[in-house]
Structure formats: structure tokens, C-alpha cells
Coordinates of all heavy atoms in Angstrom, one line a residue:
M271 N 2.0 22.9 4.5 CA 2.6 22.2 3.4 C 3.8 21.5 3.7 O 4.1 20.3 3.3 CB 2.8 23.1 2.3 CG 1.5 23.5 1.5 SD 0.5 22.2 0.9 CE 1.3 21.8 -0.6
G272 N 4.7 22.1 4.5 CA 5.9 21.5 5.0 C 5.7 20.2 5.7 O 6.4 19.2 5.4
L273 N 4.7 20.2 6.6 CA 4.4 19.0 7.4 C 3.9 17.9 6.6 O 4.2 16.8 6.6 CB 3.4 19.4 8.5 CG 3.0 18.2 9.4 CD1 4.3 17.8 10.2 CD2 1.9 18.7 10.3
F274 N 3.0 18.3 5.6 CA 2.5 17.4 4.7 C 3.6 16.6 3.9 O 3.6 15.4 3.7 CB 1.5 18.0 3.8 CG 0.9 17.0 2.7 CD1 -0.1 16.2 3.2 CD2 1.3 17.0 1.4 CE1 -0.7 15.3 2.3 CE2 0.7 16.1 0.5 CZ -0.3 15.3 1.0
K275 N 4.6 17.4 3.4 CA 5.7 16.9 2.7 C 6.4 15.9 3.5 O 6.9 14.8 3.1 CB 6.6 18.0 2.1 CG 6.2 18.5 0.8 CD 7.2 19.5 0.3 CE 6.8 20.1 -1.1 NZ 7.7 21.1 -1.5
M276 N 6.7 16.2 4.8 CA 7.4 15.4 5.7 C 6.7 14.1 5.9 O 7.4 13.0 5.9 CB 7.6 16.1 7.0 CG 8.9 16.9 7.2 SD 8.9 17.8 8.7 CE 9.1 16.5 9.8
I277 N 5.5 14.2 6.1 CA 4.6 12.9 6.3 C 4.7 12.1 5.0 O 4.9 10.9 5.1 CB 3.2 13.2 6.6 CG1 3.1 14.0 8.0 CG2 2.3 12.1 6.5 CD1 1.8 14.6 8.4
K278 N 4.6 12.7 3.9 CA 4.6 12.0 2.6 C 5.9 11.3 2.4 O 5.9 10.1 2.1 CB 4.3 13.0 1.5 CG 4.3 12.4 0.1 CD 3.0 12.6 -0.5 CE 2.9 12.0 -1.9 NZ 1.8 11.2 -2.0
R279 N 7.0 12.0 2.8 CA 8.3 11.4 2.6 C 8.5 10.2 3.6 O 9.0 9.2 3.2 CB 9.4 12.5 3.0 CG 10.6 12.3 2.1 CD 11.6 13.5 2.3 NE 11.3 14.6 1.4 CZ 12.0 15.7 1.4 NH1 13.0 15.9 2.3 NH2 11.8 16.6 0.5
W280 N 8.0 10.4 4.8 CA 8.1 9.3 5.8 C 7.3 8.1 5.3 O 7.7 7.0 5.5 CB 7.5 9.8 7.1 CG 7.4 8.8 8.2 CD1 8.5 8.3 8.9 CD2 6.2 8.0 8.6 NE1 8.0 7.4 9.8 CE2 6.6 7.2 9.6 CE3 4.9 8.1 8.2 CZ2 5.8 6.3 10.3 CZ3 4.0 7.3 8.9 CH2 4.5 6.5 9.9
Q281 N 6.1 8.4 4.8 CA 5.2 7.3 4.3 C 5.9 6.6 3.2 O 5.9 5.3 3.0 CB 3.9 7.9 3.7 CG 3.0 8.1 4.9 CD 1.6 8.7 4.4 OE1 1.6 9.4 3.3 NE2 0.6 8.6 5.2
E282 N 6.6 7.3 2.3 CA 7.3 6.6 1.1 C 8.4 5.7 1.7 O 8.7 4.7 1.2 CB 7.9 7.7 0.2 CG 6.8 8.2 -0.7 CD 7.2 9.5 -1.5 OE1 8.3 9.8 -1.4 OE2 6.4 10.1 -2.1
A283 N 9.1 6.3 2.7 CA 10.2 5.4 3.2 C 9.7 4.2 3.9 O 10.3 3.0 3.7 CB 11.1 6.3 4.2
M284 N 8.6 4.3 4.6 CA 8.0 3.1 5.2 C 7.5 2.2 4.1 O 7.6 1.0 4.3 CB 6.9 3.5 6.1 CG 7.3 4.3 7.3 SD 8.3 3.4 8.5 CE 7.0 2.3 9.2
Y285 N 6.9 2.8 3.1 CA 6.4 2.0 2.0 C 7.4 1.1 1.4 O 7.2 0.0 1.1 CB 5.7 2.9 1.0 CG 4.8 2.1 0.0 CD1 3.6 1.7 0.5 CD2 5.1 2.0 -1.3 CE1 2.7 1.0 -0.3 CE2 4.3 1.3 -2.1 CZ 3.1 0.8 -1.6 OH 2.3 0.1 -2.5
K286 N 8.6 1.8 1.1 CA 9.8 1.0 0.4 C 10.1 -0.2 1.3 O 10.4 -1.3 0.8 CB 10.9 1.9 0.2 CG 10.7 2.6 -1.1 CD 11.8 3.6 -1.3 CE 11.5 4.5 -2.6 NZ 12.4 5.6 -2.7
R287 N 10.2 0.0 2.6 CA 10.6 -1.0 3.5 C 9.6 -2.2 3.5 O 9.9 -3.4 3.5 CB 10.8 -0.5 5.0 CG 12.1 0.1 5.2 CD 12.1 0.9 6.5 NE 12.0 0.0 7.6 CZ 12.0 0.4 8.8 NH1 12.0 1.7 9.2 NH2 11.8 -0.5 9.8
K288 N 8.3 -1.7 3.5 CA 7.2 -2.7 3.4 C 7.3 -3.6 2.1 O 7.0 -4.7 2.1 CB 5.9 -1.9 3.4 CG 4.8 -2.6 4.2 CD 3.8 -1.6 4.7 CE 2.9 -1.1 3.5 NZ 1.8 -0.4 4.0
L289 N 7.6 -2.9 1.0 CA 7.7 -3.6 -0.3 C 8.7 -4.7 -0.2 O 8.4 -5.8 -0.7 CB 8.2 -2.6 -1.3 CG 7.2 -1.7 -2.0 CD1 7.8 -1.0 -3.2 CD2 6.0 -2.5 -2.5
V290 N 9.8 -4.5 0.4 CA 10.8 -5.6 0.5 C 10.4 -6.7 1.2 O 10.5 -7.9 0.8 CB 12.2 -5.0 1.1 CG1 13.2 -6.0 1.2 CG2 12.7 -3.8 0.2
K291 N 9.7 -6.5 2.3 CA 9.2 -7.5 3.2 C 8.1 -8.2 2.5 O 8.0 -9.5 2.5 CB 8.7 -7.0 4.5 CG 9.7 -6.6 5.5 CD 9.2 -6.2 6.8 CE 10.2 -5.9 7.8 NZ 9.6 -5.4 9.1
A292 N 7.2 -7.6 1.9 CA 6.1 -8.1 1.2 C 6.5 -9.0 0.0 O 5.9 -10.1 -0.2 CB 5.1 -7.0 0.8
R293 N 7.5 -8.5 -0.7 CA 7.9 -9.3 -1.9 C 8.5 -10.7 -1.3 O 8.3 -11.7 -2.0 CB 9.0 -8.5 -2.6 CG 9.3 -9.2 -4.0 CD 9.9 -8.3 -4.9 NE 11.2 -7.7 -4.3 CZ 11.6 -6.5 -4.7 NH1 11.1 -5.8 -5.6 NH2 12.8 -6.1 -4.0
A294 N 9.2 -10.6 -0.3 CA 9.8 -11.8 0.3 C 8.7 -12.8 0.8 O 8.9 -14.0 0.6 CB 10.8 -11.5 1.5
K295 N 7.7 -12.3 1.3 CA 6.6 -13.2 1.8 C 5.6 -13.5 0.7 O 4.7 -14.4 0.9 CB 5.8 -12.5 2.9 CG 6.6 -12.4 4.2 CD 5.9 -11.8 5.4 CE 6.7 -11.6 6.6 NZ 6.0 -10.8 7.6
G296 N 5.6 -12.8 -0.4 CA 4.6 -13.0 -1.5 C 3.3 -12.4 -1.2 O 2.3 -12.9 -1.7
I297 N 3.2 -11.5 -0.3 CA 1.9 -10.8 0.1 C 1.9 -9.5 -0.5 O 2.8 -8.7 -0.7 CB 1.6 -10.8 1.6 CG1 2.8 -10.1 2.3 CG2 1.6 -12.2 2.1 CD1 2.5 -9.9 3.7
C298 N 0.6 -8.9 -0.6 CA 0.4 -7.5 -1.1 C 0.9 -6.6 0.0 O 0.6 -6.6 1.2 CB -1.1 -7.3 -1.3 SG -1.5 -5.6 -1.5
P299 N 1.9 -5.6 -0.4 CA 2.4 -4.7 0.6 C 1.4 -3.6 1.0 O 1.5 -3.1 2.1 CB 3.5 -4.0 -0.3 CG 3.2 -4.2 -1.7 CD 2.3 -5.4 -1.7
D300 N 0.3 -3.4 0.3 CA -0.7 -2.4 0.6 C -1.5 -2.8 1.8 O -1.8 -2.1 2.8 CB -1.6 -2.1 -0.5 CG -0.9 -1.2 -1.6 OD1 0.2 -0.7 -1.2 OD2 -1.4 -1.0 -2.7
C301 N -1.9 -4.2 1.8 CA -2.8 -4.7 2.8 C -2.2 -5.8 3.6 O -2.8 -6.4 4.6 CB -4.1 -5.2 2.2 SG -3.9 -6.5 1.1
R302 N -0.9 -6.0 3.4 CA -0.2 -7.1 4.1 C -0.9 -8.5 3.9 O -0.9 -9.3 4.9 CB 0.0 -6.8 5.6 CG 0.8 -5.5 5.8 CD 0.9 -5.2 7.3 NE 1.5 -3.9 7.5 CZ 1.7 -3.4 8.6 NH1 1.3 -4.0 9.7 NH2 2.2 -2.2 8.8
G303 N -1.5 -8.7 2.8 CA -2.1 -10.0 2.5 C -3.5 -10.1 3.0 O -4.1 -11.2 2.9
F304 N -4.1 -9.1 3.7 CA -5.4 -9.2 4.2 C -6.5 -9.0 3.2 O -7.7 -9.4 3.4 CB -5.6 -8.2 5.4 CG -4.8 -8.5 6.5 CD1 -3.8 -7.5 7.0 CD2 -5.0 -9.6 7.3 CE1 -3.1 -7.8 8.1 CE2 -4.2 -9.9 8.4 CZ -3.3 -9.0 8.8
G305 N -6.1 -8.4 2.1 CA -7.2 -8.1 1.0 C -8.0 -6.9 1.2 O -8.7 -6.5 0.4
Y306 N -7.6 -6.2 2.3 CA -8.2 -4.8 2.4 C -7.1 -3.9 3.2 O -6.2 -4.5 3.8 CB -9.5 -4.8 3.2 CG -9.3 -5.2 4.6 CD1 -9.1 -4.4 5.7 CD2 -9.4 -6.6 5.0 CE1 -8.9 -4.8 7.0 CE2 -9.2 -7.0 6.3 CZ -9.0 -6.1 7.3 OH -8.8 -6.5 8.6
D307 N -7.2 -2.7 3.1 CA -6.3 -1.8 3.6 C -6.7 -1.2 5.0 O -7.7 -0.4 5.0 CB -6.0 -0.7 2.6 CG -4.7 0.0 3.1 OD1 -4.3 0.0 4.2 OD2 -4.2 0.8 2.3
P308 N -6.1 -1.7 6.1 CA -6.6 -1.2 7.4 C -6.3 0.4 7.6 O -7.0 1.1 8.3 CB -5.7 -1.9 8.4 CG -4.8 -2.8 7.6 CD -5.1 -2.6 6.2
L309 N -5.3 0.8 6.8 CA -5.1 2.3 6.9 C -6.2 3.1 6.2 O -6.5 4.2 6.7 CB -3.7 2.6 6.2 CG -2.4 2.3 7.0 CD1 -1.2 2.6 6.1 CD2 -2.4 3.1 8.3
M310 N -6.7 2.5 5.2 CA -7.8 3.2 4.4 C -9.1 3.3 5.3 O -9.8 4.3 5.2 CB -8.1 2.4 3.3 CG -8.2 3.2 2.0 SD -8.0 2.1 0.5 CE -9.6 1.4 0.5
L311 N -9.2 2.4 6.2 CA -10.4 2.5 7.2 C -10.2 3.7 8.1 O -11.2 4.3 8.5 CB -10.5 1.2 7.9 CG -10.8 0.0 7.1 CD1 -10.7 -1.3 8.0 CD2 -12.2 0.1 6.6
Q312 N -9.0 4.0 8.5 CA -8.7 5.0 9.5 C -8.6 6.4 8.8 O -9.0 7.4 9.4 CB -7.5 4.7 10.2 CG -7.6 3.5 11.1 CD -6.2 3.0 11.5 OE1 -5.2 3.7 11.4 NE2 -6.1 1.8 12.0
D313 N -8.0 6.4 7.6 CA -7.7 7.7 7.0 C -8.8 8.1 6.1 O -9.0 7.7 5.0 CB -6.4 7.5 6.2 CG -5.8 8.8 5.8 OD1 -6.6 9.8 5.9 OD2 -4.7 9.0 5.3
H314 N -9.5 9.1 6.5 CA -10.7 9.7 5.7 C -10.2 10.4 4.5 O -11.0 10.6 3.6 CB -11.5 10.5 6.6 CG -12.2 9.7 7.8 ND1 -13.3 9.1 7.6 CD2 -11.7 9.6 9.0 CE1 -13.7 8.5 8.8 NE2 -12.7 8.8 9.6
F315 N -9.0 10.8 4.5 CA -8.6 11.6 3.3 C -8.3 10.7 2.1 O -8.4 11.1 1.0 CB -7.2 12.3 3.7 CG -7.4 13.4 4.6 CD1 -7.0 13.2 6.0 CD2 -8.1 14.6 4.3 CE1 -7.2 14.2 6.9 CE2 -8.3 15.6 5.2 CZ -7.9 15.4 6.5
T316 N -8.0 9.4 2.4 CA -7.8 8.5 1.2 C -9.0 7.7 1.1 O -8.9 6.7 0.2 CB -6.6 7.6 1.5 OG1 -6.8 6.9 2.8 CG2 -5.2 8.4 1.6
L317 N -10.0 7.9 1.7 CA -11.2 7.1 1.6 C -12.1 7.5 0.4 O -13.1 8.1 0.5 CB -12.1 7.3 2.9 CG -13.2 6.2 3.1 CD1 -12.5 4.8 3.2 CD2 -13.9 6.5 4.4
N318 N -11.6 7.1 -0.7 CA -12.3 7.4 -1.9 C -12.9 6.1 -2.7 O -13.4 6.2 -3.8 CB -11.5 8.3 -2.9 CG -10.1 7.6 -3.1 OD1 -9.9 6.5 -2.9 ND2 -9.2 8.4 -3.7
A319 N -12.5 5.0 -2.0 CA -13.0 3.7 -2.6 C -14.5 3.5 -2.2 O -14.9 3.9 -1.1 CB -12.1 2.6 -2.2
K320 N -15.1 2.7 -3.1 CA -16.5 2.5 -2.7 C -16.7 1.4 -1.6 O -17.6 1.3 -0.9 CB -17.3 2.0 -4.0 CG -17.4 3.1 -5.0 CD -18.3 2.6 -6.2 CE -18.4 3.6 -7.3 NZ -17.1 3.6 -8.0
D321 N -15.7 0.5 -1.7 CA -15.6 -0.5 -0.6 C -14.2 -0.5 0.0 O -13.4 0.2 -0.4 CB -16.0 -1.8 -1.0 CG -15.3 -2.2 -2.3 OD1 -14.1 -2.0 -2.4 OD2 -15.9 -2.8 -3.3
F322 N -13.9 -1.5 0.9 CA -12.6 -1.4 1.5 C -11.7 -2.5 1.0 O -10.7 -2.8 1.6 CB -12.9 -1.7 3.1 CG -13.6 -0.5 3.7 CD1 -14.8 -0.8 4.3 CD2 -13.0 0.7 3.8 CE1 -15.4 0.3 4.9 CE2 -13.7 1.8 4.3 CZ -14.9 1.6 4.9
D323 N -12.1 -3.1 -0.2 CA -11.1 -4.0 -0.8 C -9.9 -3.3 -1.1 O -9.8 -2.1 -1.6 CB -11.8 -4.5 -2.1 CG -12.5 -5.8 -2.0 OD1 -12.7 -6.2 -0.8 OD2 -13.0 -6.4 -2.9
C324 N -8.8 -4.0 -0.9 CA -7.4 -3.3 -1.2 C -7.4 -3.0 -2.7 O -7.6 -4.0 -3.5 CB -6.3 -4.3 -0.8 SG -4.7 -3.8 -1.3
V325 N -7.1 -1.8 -3.0 CA -7.0 -1.4 -4.5 C -5.8 -2.0 -5.1 O -5.8 -2.2 -6.3 CB -7.0 0.2 -4.6 CG1 -8.5 0.6 -4.4 CG2 -6.1 0.8 -3.6
G326 N -4.7 -2.1 -4.3 CA -3.4 -2.6 -4.9 C -3.6 -4.0 -5.5 O -3.1 -4.3 -6.5
C327 N -4.2 -4.9 -4.7 CA -4.2 -6.3 -5.1 C -5.7 -6.7 -5.4 O -5.9 -7.9 -5.6 CB -3.7 -7.2 -4.0 SG -4.6 -7.1 -2.4
K328 N -6.5 -5.8 -5.4 CA -7.9 -6.0 -5.7 C -8.6 -7.1 -4.8 O -9.4 -7.9 -5.1 CB -8.2 -6.5 -7.2 CG -7.7 -5.5 -8.2 CD -8.4 -5.7 -9.6 CE -8.2 -4.5 -10.5 NZ -7.1 -3.6 -10.3
G329 N -8.1 -7.1 -3.5 CA -8.7 -7.8 -2.5 C -8.2 -9.3 -2.4 O -8.6 -10.1 -1.7
T330 N -7.1 -9.5 -3.2 CA -6.6 -11.0 -3.2 C -5.5 -11.1 -2.2 O -5.3 -12.3 -1.7 CB -6.0 -11.2 -4.6 OG1 -4.8 -10.4 -4.8 CG2 -6.9 -11.1 -5.8
G331 N -4.9 -10.1 -1.8 CA -3.7 -10.2 -0.8 C -2.5 -10.8 -1.3 O -1.5 -11.0 -0.5
S332 N -2.4 -10.9 -2.6 CA -1.3 -11.5 -3.2 C -0.2 -10.5 -3.8 O -0.6 -9.6 -4.4 CB -1.7 -12.5 -4.3 OG -0.8 -12.5 -5.4
Y333 N 1.0 -10.7 -3.5 CA 2.1 -9.9 -4.1 C 2.1 -9.8 -5.6 O 2.2 -8.8 -6.3 CB 3.4 -10.2 -3.6 CG 4.5 -9.3 -4.1 CD1 4.8 -8.1 -3.5 CD2 5.2 -9.6 -5.3 CE1 5.7 -7.2 -4.1 CE2 6.2 -8.8 -5.9 CZ 6.4 -7.5 -5.2 OH 7.3 -6.7 -5.7
T334 N 1.9 -11.0 -6.2 CA 1.9 -11.2 -7.6 C 0.7 -10.3 -8.2 O 1.0 -9.6 -9.3 CB 1.6 -12.7 -8.0 OG1 2.4 -13.5 -7.2 CG2 2.0 -12.9 -9.5
E335 N -0.4 -10.4 -7.6 CA -1.6 -9.6 -8.2 C -1.3 -8.1 -8.0 O -1.5 -7.3 -8.9 CB -2.8 -10.0 -7.4 CG -4.0 -9.4 -7.9 CD -4.5 -9.8 -9.3 OE1 -4.0 -11.0 -9.7 OE2 -5.1 -9.1 -10.0
W336 N -0.7 -7.7 -6.8 CA -0.3 -6.3 -6.6 C 0.6 -5.9 -7.6 O 0.5 -4.8 -8.1 CB 0.2 -6.3 -5.1 CG 0.6 -4.8 -4.8 CD1 -0.2 -3.8 -4.4 CD2 2.0 -4.3 -5.0 NE1 0.6 -2.6 -4.2 CE2 1.8 -2.9 -4.6 CE3 3.1 -4.8 -5.5 CZ2 3.0 -2.1 -4.7 CZ3 4.3 -4.0 -5.6 CH2 4.2 -2.7 -5.2
A337 N 1.7 -6.6 -7.8 CA 2.7 -6.3 -8.7 C 2.2 -6.1 -10.1 O 2.7 -5.2 -10.9 CB 3.8 -7.3 -8.7
K338 N 1.3 -7.0 -10.5 CA 0.7 -6.9 -11.8 C -0.1 -5.5 -12.0 O 0.0 -4.8 -13.0 CB -0.3 -8.0 -12.0 CG -0.3 -8.6 -13.4 CD -1.5 -9.6 -13.6 CE -1.7 -10.6 -12.6 NZ -2.8 -11.5 -12.9
N339 N -0.8 -5.2 -11.0 CA -1.6 -3.9 -11.0 C -0.8 -2.7 -10.8 O -1.2 -1.6 -11.2 CB -2.6 -4.0 -9.9 CG -3.7 -5.1 -10.1 OD1 -4.1 -5.4 -11.1 ND2 -4.1 -5.7 -9.0
N340 N 0.4 -2.8 -10.4 CA 1.2 -1.6 -10.1 C 2.5 -1.6 -10.9 O 3.3 -0.7 -10.7 CB 1.6 -1.6 -8.6 CG 0.3 -1.3 -7.7 OD1 -0.1 -0.1 -7.6 ND2 -0.3 -2.4 -7.2
G341 N 2.6 -2.5 -11.8 CA 3.8 -2.4 -12.7 C 5.1 -2.8 -12.1 O 6.2 -2.2 -12.4
H342 N 5.1 -3.6 -11.0 CA 6.3 -3.9 -10.3 C 6.9 -5.3 -10.6 O 7.8 -5.8 -10.0 CB 6.1 -3.8 -8.8 CG 6.1 -2.4 -8.3 ND1 7.3 -1.7 -8.0 CD2 5.1 -1.5 -8.2 CE1 7.0 -0.5 -7.7 NE2 5.7 -0.4 -7.7
I343 N 6.2 -5.9 -11.6 CA 6.6 -7.3 -12.0 C 8.0 -7.2 -12.6 O 8.3 -6.4 -13.6 CB 5.7 -7.9 -13.1 CG1 4.4 -8.2 -12.3 CG2 6.4 -9.1 -13.7 CD1 4.1 -9.6 -11.9
R344 N 9.0 -8.0 -12.1 CA 10.3 -8.0 -12.6 C 10.4 -9.1 -13.7 O 10.0 -10.2 -13.5 CB 11.3 -8.3 -11.5 CG 11.5 -7.0 -10.7 CD 12.7 -7.3 -9.7 NE 12.9 -6.2 -8.9 CZ 13.9 -6.1 -8.0 NH1 14.6 -7.2 -7.8 NH2 14.1 -5.0 -7.3
K345 N 11.0 -8.7 -14.9 CA 11.1 -9.7 -16.0 C 12.6 -10.2 -16.1 O 13.5 -9.5 -15.6 CB 10.7 -9.0 -17.3 CG 9.1 -8.8 -17.3 CD 8.7 -8.0 -18.5 CE 7.3 -7.7 -18.4 NZ 6.9 -6.7 -19.4
Ligands
ZN552 ZN1 -3.7 -5.7 -1.0

């Protein structure tokens, strides 16, 4: 459990860094604008989607779409 928490914390830190970059570029932080998540293909534990479309941006690769789906739109 300790290791799992460490990994989770590390992933969150990386994710936050990714968010900043993705917002600047206007691309989805989950898939880096590819429309699918390469991590999801490798990680069988998170493989609960029926297909490999990025769940964050619904396969569009757009930050705007991702933000809309994840409640990160700044008003
Ligand atoms: Zn995406």
C-alpha cells in the first residue's frame, strides 16, 4: 500500500506539470493531443475502457474539450 501511495503521489505531481504544459499548448493533458492515451495501452490496471479513445477529451486531443469534461474551464 505504501508503494502504491508513492506511485500515486508521483503520478499526481507529474500530472500537474503536464497540465500546465498542455494548457499552454491547447492540447489534452491526458493524451497530449493524440486523441488516445498511450499509458492506457500499457497499463492493464486502468484498462477499463471499451476502446482506446482518450476519456479526458473524448478522442479530440483538445485542451478545451478536456477541460470541459473535467471541470477545469476557468471563467
Ligand atoms: Zn485526450
Side-chain angles (χ1 to χ4, degrees):
M271 283 307 275
L273 183 64
F274 181 75
K275 271 188 184 174
M276 271 175 64
I277 292 171
K278 183 120 179 122
R279 215 174 268 181
W280 175 78
Q281 281 178 334
E282 279 169 10
M284 293 296 286
Y285 194 73
K286 274 180 191 167
R287 280 170 62 181
K288 215 159 71 171
L289 275 190
V290 175
K291 283 188 183 175
R293 190 164 54 206
K295 288 182 183 173
I297 57 172
C298 167
D300 285 350
C301 62
R302 297 181 191 177
F304 291 117
Y306 64 91
D307 193 343
L309 283 176
M310 230 161 75
L311 294 171
Q312 295 165 11
D313 191 347
H314 294 274
F315 292 106
T316 58
L317 194 61
N318 52 16
K320 289 185 187 76
D321 51 41
F322 296 116
D323 270 4
C324 172
V325 282
C327 63
K328 299 204 168 25
T330 62
S332 141
Y333 179 84
T334 318
E335 187 66 27
W336 176 88
K338 217 193 309 180
N339 294 325
N340 293 275
H342 283 273
I343 291 260
R344 286 189 176 179
K345 288 172 186 170

